[in-house]
Structures are given as C-alpha cells and as structure tokens.
Amino acid sequence: MTAATIGIIGSVIIGLLIVKRGTQKGYTSFLSNFSDLPREYRTGLLPEEKRTKLGTTTTSSISMDSLTFNFAIVMSVALGGYGLSKLVQLFVPELSLPVFSCAFIVGIIVATIFKKVGIAKYVCTSTVGHLSGTFTDILVACGIASIKLSVVVQNFIPLLILLIVGLLCTAIYIFTVAKRIMPTYWFEKAIFSWGWFTGTMAMGIAMLRVVDPGQRTHCLEDYALAYLFIAPVEISLVTFAPMAFMNGWGWMFIGICTAALLAVLIIGLMKGWLKRSK
C-alpha cells in the first residue's frame, strides 16, 4: 500500500517536474512553456466555461436511474471478478488469483455479451469513466488509511531504496525507449506511459492532457490498440509475480522476464523499429 501510494503521488508530482524539464529542453510539441499550463491544472478547479457534463442518461428514471444502472454494471463486474477468484481458489487452494485480473476477464465477457444482445448502447462510457475515477480516488484514500506506519518505520531504509530505484528505473526505461521507438510525439507518449506505469491509467490520461490537451497525438487510440496485446502480459505479471517471489522462484521469474525483454528488443532491432526520434 505504501509503494502504491508513493507511486500515485510520484506519477503526478514527478511527472509535472518531468514536463517542466521537457518544455525547457524543447521536447514538447504543444506546450512551449510550463507557465502556460491552464489554471485548472495547477489548482484542480474548473472554471464555469470549461465544465462538462458527467454523462448521458440512457435509462428512464421511472424504472431505474441511469447512474444506478451504470453503477450496477461496474459492481457486477467487480463482484464477478471476486467470485471467479474465490472459485479458482476453491478448486486449486494454492493458486490465489488477484481479483483485478479476474475482474478484467469478467469485464471482457460482459462487454462481449452486451454487444451481442444490444445492451452496450445503453451503457454510458462517460459515466462509467467517472465512476472508475471515483473508485480510484476512494482506493487511494483507503490505501493511505491502511498503511501501517510501524511497518513502514521498521522497513524504512529498504523500502526507500526500493521506491527510489523503482522510480529511477521506470523513468530511464520509459524516456530512453520512447525516444527510440516513437517516430512522432515521443515525449507526450512517454509522459502518458509514466503516469500509467507509476500510478493508474487515469493518471496517465491526466498527464497526457497536460502536454496534449487537444488529443492531437492520438496516443489513446494507439494505446487502445496496443493494449489488446499488453493485457495478457500485464495480467500474467500481476497474477504470477507475487506467487513466484513468495515461493522462492524470484530469480527464475526475473530471468524469464529479462529473456522476454531481450527477445522483444532484438526483434525490434532486426525490424528497424528502434530508431531515435528527431
């Protein structure tokens, strides 16, 4: 919980410092000066002329309020993920799948069914997005509240080393690789990845809006396509990494991940994908 909290805080605070440095170096394509950032990005409060609606009503309030309908869908997916995790554990006690991974699978199944039967058009993506943002805020608050300070103090030095090294490695990796594989708008796509990797997807989108408020990089469209291939890898890492380290297979797991990374880089070199962006 401590690491997650520091990651979310770092994704914004360190991310804004990186953006400021990027403007000074001329890396940004749409933001020439850090001081040009709109006031709402510095205060978090939107002026009246920039306020938007939370969503669109898709159900009649006589039967069910639209917010209740969308909330029920989100809760059903979460409950289904929890149930699937417990079901797997019931049959295979030594295998404990994260609820997040199971909920992702359930979400894909539910979305597919909704599209087949025609319910998808009654789901307001904007409302669901705001619900997701609300739950993320609650998650952060609960995460901070659940931190045991005695444990943090007891393990302060190793935890501090872990967090600093993790943030540094993430920054070096993201911005080194982005410069070489992104032919256009590499900095904007890199800062999006920074927010995503250290915090949440919402943080990544927030950082992207800072440097690309007009969505001219089409970064989110690229992400949506790429995530079809990223999702299985991400779910596997979240699911099996803790199990590997808890059972003494940490170095084997690191070796497999390193070998996979090298294979991807070698393929990239052979295909000519790793080129420095101008």
Side-chain angles (χ1 to χ4, degrees), residues 76-86 98-100 102-104 106:
S76 298
V77 172
L79 182 61
Y82 178 79
L84 180 59
S85 176
K86 291 299 181 182
V99 176
F100 161 78
C102 296
F104 188 88
V106 172

Side-chain angles (χ1 to χ4, degrees), residues 24-235:
Q24 294 172 347
K25 291 285 188 178
Y27 295 150
T28 52
S29 302
F30 311 108
L31 186 66
S32 58
N33 196 318
F34 188 76
S35 60
D36 293 338
L37 279 177
R39 188 170 180 270
E40 58 265 26
Y41 286 123
R42 297 193 293 268
T43 63
L45 302 175
L46 281 173
E48 292 185 9
E49 65 273 10
K50 292 188 177 181
R51 296 175 187 176
T52 57
K53 297 185 182 300
L54 288 176
T56 304
T57 55
T58 57
T59 60
S60 172
S61 58
I62 297 176
S63 57
M64 180 183 292
D65 189 83
S66 183
L67 182 60
T68 306
F69 175 70
N70 288 278
F71 178 80
I73 292 173
V74 175
M75 288 295 99
S76 298
V77 172
L79 182 61
Y82 178 79
L84 180 59
S85 176
K86 291 299 181 182
L87 183 64
V88 172
Q89 197 170 16
L90 179 66
F91 289 98
V92 188
E94 62 275 10
L95 181 61
S96 179
L97 296 178
V99 176
F100 161 78
S101 303
C102 296
F104 188 88
I105 296 172
V106 172
I108 293 175
I109 295 173
V110 170
T112 303
I113 294 174
F114 277 13
K115 288 179 180 178
K116 291 288 185 181
V117 300
I119 301 178
K121 60 184 177 182
Y122 296 107
V123 179
C124 177
T125 55
S126 179
T127 301
V128 172
H130 282 292
L131 287 171
S132 300
T134 301
F135 296 142
T136 300
D137 293 339
I138 295 173
L139 180 65
V140 173
C142 293
I144 295 174
S146 65
I147 294 174
K148 295 182 179 179
L149 294 179
S150 58
V151 177
V152 175
V153 172
Q154 185 179 356
N155 300 277
F156 180 75
I157 298 301
L159 184 61
L160 182 64
I161 294 172
L162 178 67
L163 291 173
I164 291 175
V165 172
L167 288 171
L168 281 174
C169 288
T170 303
I172 293 171
Y173 166 72
I174 289 176
F175 292 96
T176 300
V177 172
K179 246 183 180 179
R180 287 164 171 76
I181 67 173
M182 302 294 182
T184 58
Y185 308 119
W186 72 267
F187 185 82
E188 286 75 13
K189 294 173 182 177
I191 201 66
F192 165 78
S193 299
W194 166 263
W196 173 28
F197 288 3
T198 57
T200 63
M201 176 49 53
M203 299 295 180
I205 294 174
M207 295 308 302
L208 178 64
R209 285 175 179 168
V210 170
V211 294
D212 179 25
Q215 300 295 317
R216 286 172 285 184
T217 61
H218 301 289
C219 180
L220 293 180
E221 289 88 339
D222 294 342
Y223 160 79
L225 178 62
Y227 198 70
L228 294 173
F229 304 94
I230 296 173
V233 177
E234 184 178 40
I235 293 174

